[in-house]
């Protein structure tokens, strides 16, 4: 973040969209943060099956933007995609809520379970269009018009972008904190039906708030399209019409195109054809993705570590002493809020203290580069896993260990997020052309998607290896016999190897501005 940049540099549309993003995270975390408890205590899945289910669902949710974003980018603008996806999202969270009522009645539970899992999968589909479009639309409000900034404006643009992504993540974490702390308590004490109904109401409120700001948004349209002409449903219709026109046009014979059917009377005309061609070609998208693939791959182990608080950290906490007084018990899932509290409290210090200090050392206006920022977060995540392994070893030897022993690993993961997650958002957004900005956000989220699947695969393989010869699994349902400490040590070692390769790759990586070509491919 450039020296002298203040949060007040963000305009009102940016701030409004940050609030909306926080509301969405409240709704999502209200469902996801305590889902492993719902699956084990209500649906009666085993610890490993529940953890793999949560990991797979989170992975599917995070990878869907990579599949949905290119389609949404070619057909609709960000605004239209947000509206459609949010309605879809609300409908499916409501369906998930209705599945919880089934458990209170003597019906076929296998049907209820299937309905619940399908609701979760379809929520992922809705989020696939919603999240990247909302973040890209928020960044559009910065007014960055040039696809490749000039040397004179590069620092200013980069500073605004860093400011936006830092406070975007601050808003997201604030919503996550409220979702984890409030909804975990409601679910554990007042019931799962209410616990899933509240997120639905919050998402409805977010749509109303988003729609209320339509008049003040900046819309990033092609130069020949007027902002006054923007209506979401009109753009959806025009996008679909353009695509259909192009297919029909390509299907006509050469003679029809030249003589029998005048160009201006073809189903779309030249203007529609230009709209159909306005997105970057598929080959260029593939080139951009391949150029970023090495860095992307080295972040996957960080994403695996990122999954632990919602799965095995929570299961650890359930076996530990968590009473406060004689009546209140700390819901283990609420400790995930420690991560977001760490981010909320320490993120402002990043700009006020760390950046000025590193500016003196590095003589870089931003303090440290985006790649250095991500690397620093990876180091902190490795240290967090080492501490987690040591605490788990102590838990196995001390049955009455208090849950507060888990705080250091949560705090360190929160600090690592300030570096790596914010850095990833800025990196993938900045390394793609403007017409691929939604795709850039999708690349960032896909790290966590693939990382979640990788986590599930690792759990399955470790289970196969550790249970040979009738031995006890590292992920035994009997937490007194589980060896999560060995799993944490394994993650620390693998993440260290990934970090070393990442450092080598960073030495050879060239940013899009260094390449200097139009598309940065």
């Amino acid at each position: 973040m450039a020296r002298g940049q203040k949060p007040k540099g963000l305009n009102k549309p940016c701030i409004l969209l940050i609030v909306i993003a926080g509301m969405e995270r409240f709704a999502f975390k209200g469902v996801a943060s305590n889902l492993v408890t719902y699956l084990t205590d209500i649906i009666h899945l085993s610890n490993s099956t529940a953890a793999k289910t949560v990991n797979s669902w989170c992975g599917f949710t995070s990878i869907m933007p990579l599949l949905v974003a290119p389609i949404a980018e070619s057909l609709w603008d960000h605004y239209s995609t947000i509206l459609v996806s949010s309605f879809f999202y609300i409908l499916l969270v409501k369906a998930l809520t209705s599945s919880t009522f089934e458990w209170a009645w003597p019906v076929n539970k296998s049907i209820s379970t299937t309905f619940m899992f399908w609701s979760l999968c379809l929520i992922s589909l809705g989020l696939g269009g919603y999240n990247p479009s909302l973040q890209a639309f928020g960044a559009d409000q910065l007014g960055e018009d040039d696809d490749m900034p000039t040397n004179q404006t590069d620092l200013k643009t980069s500073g605004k972008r860093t400011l936006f992504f830092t406070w975007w993540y601050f808003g997201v974490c604030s919503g996550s904190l409220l979702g984890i702390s409030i909804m975990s308590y409601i679910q554990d004490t007042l019931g799962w039906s209410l616990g899933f109904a509240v997120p639905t109401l919050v998402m409805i409120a977010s749509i109303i708030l988003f729609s209320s700001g339509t008049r003040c948004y900046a819309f990033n349209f092609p130069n020949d399209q007027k902002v006054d002409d923007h209506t979401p449903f009109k753009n959806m219709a025009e996008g679909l019409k353009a695509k259909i026109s192009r297919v029909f046009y390509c299907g006509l014979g050469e003679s029809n195109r030249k003589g029998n059917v005048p160009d201006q009377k073809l189903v779309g005309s030249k203007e529609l054809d230009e709209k159909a061609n306005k997105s970057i070609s598929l080959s260029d998208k593939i080139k951009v993705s391949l150029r970023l693939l090495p860095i992307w791959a080295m972040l996957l182990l960080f994403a695996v570590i990122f999954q632990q608080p919602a799965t095995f950290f929570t299961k650890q906490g359930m076996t530990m002493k968590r009473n406060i007084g004689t009546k209140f018990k700390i819901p283990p899932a609420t400790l995930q809020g420690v991560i977001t509290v760490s981010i909320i409290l320490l993120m402002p210090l990043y700009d006020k203290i760390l950046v000025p200090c590193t500016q003196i050392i590095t003589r870089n206006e931003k303090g440290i580069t985006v790649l250095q920022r991500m690397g620093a977060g990876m180091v902190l995540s490795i240290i967090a896993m080492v501490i987690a392994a040591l605490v788990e070893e102590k838990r196995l030897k001390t049955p009455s260990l208090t849950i507060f022993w888990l705080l250091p690993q949560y705090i360190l993961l929160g600090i690592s997020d300030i570096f790596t997650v914010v850095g990833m958002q800025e990196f993938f957004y900045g390394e793609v052309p403007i017409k691929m900005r939604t795709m850039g956000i999708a690349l960032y989220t896909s790290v966590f998607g693939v990382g979640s699947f990788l986590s599930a695969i690792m759990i399955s393989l470790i289970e196969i290896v550790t249970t040979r010869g009738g031995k006890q699994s590292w992920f035994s349902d009997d937490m007194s016999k589980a060896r999560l400490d060995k799993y944490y040590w394994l993650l620390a070692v693998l993440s260290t190897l990934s970090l070393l390769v990442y450092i080598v790759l960073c030495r050879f990586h060239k940013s899009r501005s260094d390449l200097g070509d139009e598309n940065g491919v």
Side-chain angles (χ1 to χ4, degrees):
M1 191 176 300
R3 191 194 306 267
Q5 292 284 347
K6 303 284 186 182
K8 65 182 181 181
L10 293 178
N11 55 32
K12 290 181 180 179
C14 277
I15 295 171
L16 177 63
L17 292 169
I18 287 173
V19 171
I20 292 168
M23 295 174 72
E24 185 280 324
R25 282 296 90 181
F26 176 96
F28 179 77
K29 286 295 184 179
V31 173
S33 63
N34 208 22
L35 186 60
V36 69
T37 304
Y38 181 70
L39 295 177
T40 54
D41 293 357
I42 307 299
I43 304 185
H44 305 298
L45 299 182
S46 66
N47 285 346
S48 59
T49 303
K52 286 186 287 186
T53 300
V54 173
N55 283 337
S56 298
W57 178 59
C58 290
F60 187 61
T61 301
S62 299
I63 207 171
M64 279 307 295
L66 201 57
L67 305 177
V68 176
I71 299 173
E73 254 181 347
S74 10
L75 293 178
W76 304 328
D77 57 277
H78 295 151
Y79 181 95
S80 306
T81 305
I82 294 166
L83 278 182
V84 173
S85 300
S86 58
F87 280 116
F88 192 59
Y89 189 1
I90 287 173
L91 180 65
L92 294 165
V93 175
K94 182 180 178 181
L96 177 64
T97 305
S98 68
S99 73
T100 64
F101 287 100
E102 298 296 328
W103 293 100
W105 301 94
V107 297
N108 189 327
K109 291 193 175 183
S110 65
I111 296 176
S112 298
T113 303
T114 303
F115 182 72
M116 184 203 69
F117 284 129
W118 274 108
S119 297
L120 288 172
C121 290
L122 292 173
I123 286 172
S124 302
L125 181 61
L127 283 172
Y130 184 89
N131 277 338
S133 296
L134 184 65
Q135 191 163 9
F137 189 58
D140 289 346
Q141 309 308 308
L142 298 175
E144 182 183 351
D145 297 323
D146 298 327
D147 191 35
M148 182 65 67
T150 63
N151 292 334
Q152 289 79 11
T153 62
D154 190 44
L155 266 179
K156 181 179 178 182
T157 299
S158 181
K160 287 175 63 178
R161 187 185 302 154
T162 301
L163 180 70
F164 169 75
F165 284 115
T166 298
W167 286 97
W168 179 274
Y169 197 54
F170 181 91
V172 163
C173 289
S174 299
S176 298
L177 173 61
L178 293 174
I180 291 168
S181 56
I182 295 174
M183 298 317 304
S184 294
Y185 178 78
I186 290 175
Q187 290 159 359
D188 285 354
T189 58
L190 301 179
W192 291 95
S193 297
L194 180 62
F196 286 163
V198 173
T200 307
L201 297 175
V202 170
M203 276 305 298
I204 293 173
S206 75
I207 290 186
I208 296 172
L209 186 61
F210 176 75
S211 302
S212 70
T214 300
R215 290 184 177 275
C216 65
Y217 294 143
F219 296 97
N220 190 10
F221 293 121
N223 293 331
D224 60 344
Q225 186 174 349
K226 296 180 181 179
V227 174
D228 293 340
D229 294 336
H230 173 76
T231 61
F233 299 105
K234 181 179 179 182
N235 277 285
M236 291 180 222
E238 285 183 350
L240 288 171
K241 187 177 179 182
K243 290 298 176 185
I244 294 170
S245 300
R246 192 177 181 189
V247 170
F248 180 75
Y249 177 79
C250 291
L252 292 174
E254 185 67 24
S255 60
N256 283 344
R257 288 201 295 267
K258 287 187 175 180
N260 297 340
V261 182
D263 287 347
Q264 66 271 22
K265 292 185 179 180
L266 288 173
V267 187
S269 81
K270 183 177 179 181
E271 181 182 354
L272 286 176
D273 192 54
E274 288 174 354
K275 289 181 180 179
N277 281 297
K278 70 180 180 181
S279 60
I280 293 177
S281 68
L282 178 62
S283 62
D284 282 346
K285 290 182 179 180
I286 293 174
K287 288 178 183 178
V288 170
S289 301
L290 289 177
R291 185 173 68 82
L292 301 177
L293 185 61
I295 299 293
W296 179 92
M298 291 306 105
L299 292 165
L300 291 178
L301 264 298
F302 174 83
V304 173
I305 292 175
F306 192 85
Q307 300 302 318
Q308 303 315 305
T311 53
F312 290 122
F313 283 12
T314 299
K315 295 304 295 183
Q316 278 179 277
M318 292 181 71
T319 66
M320 302 172 80
K321 185 179 178 182
R322 47 197 178 96
N323 292 76
I324 296 181
T326 57
K327 295 183 179 180
F328 183 75
K329 270 191 175 183
I330 301 173
T334 59
L335 282 192
Q336 296 173 46
V338 173
I339 295 177
T340 50
V341 168
S342 302
I343 294 169
I344 291 170
L345 293 179
L346 297 176
M347 189 174 286
L349 299 181
Y350 178 88
D351 184 38
K352 300 294 184 181
I353 297 177
L354 183 62
V355 170
C357 291
T358 53
Q359 282 174 341
I360 298 173
I361 299 172
T362 64
R363 298 182 182 277
N364 186 308
E365 189 68 19
K366 295 175 66 177
I368 56 176
T369 65
V370 175
L371 290 173
Q372 289 170 341
R373 182 172 185 168
M374 291 191 293
M378 293 168 72
V379 171
L380 291 171
S381 70
I382 294 170
I383 297 173
M385 294 315 298
V386 171
I387 292 175
L390 295 173
V391 171
E392 177 62 6
E393 289 177 359
K394 187 172 181 64
R395 184 191 70 84
L396 291 172
K397 298 175 183 177
T398 313
S400 60
L401 198 66
T402 176
I403 197 172
F404 294 112
W405 275 86
L406 297 178
L407 288 178
Q409 62 206 56
Y410 278 102
I411 293 172
L412 271 176
L413 284 181
I415 299 173
S416 73
D417 282 4
I418 295 175
F419 288 87
T420 303
V421 177
V422 177
M424 287 167 63
Q425 292 176 0
E426 182 176 356
F427 176 76
F428 288 109
Y429 180 87
E431 287 296 308
V432 298
I434 280 181
K435 292 180 181 178
M436 284 182 62
R437 289 291 162 77
T438 304
M439 185 76 172
I441 300 298
L443 281 171
Y444 145 69
T445 61
S446 69
V447 172
F448 297 99
V450 177
S452 296
F453 287 121
L454 180 60
S455 178
I457 292 170
M458 287 179 63
I459 292 172
S460 297
L461 292 176
I462 291 171
E463 274 198 305
I464 293 171
V465 172
T466 58
T467 53
R468 285 178 179 174
K471 295 180 180 178
Q472 196 76 28
S473 169
W474 285 5
F475 312 113
S476 172
D477 290 341
D478 184 351
M479 292 298 290
S480 64
K481 297 179 180 179
R483 294 308 305 267
L484 295 179
D485 55 323
K486 292 184 178 181
Y487 178 58
Y488 295 154
W489 281 119
L490 177 62
L491 288 181
V493 171
L494 293 177
S495 297
T496 301
L497 295 176
S498 179
L499 175 64
L500 294 175
V501 177
Y502 172 84
I503 292 171
V504 174
L505 291 174
C506 288
R507 293 179 64 87
F508 296 98
H509 177 78
K510 290 185 178 181
S511 68
R512 191 166 68 95
S513 57
D514 291 335
L515 293 175
D517 59 347
E518 182 180 355
N519 291 326
V521 297

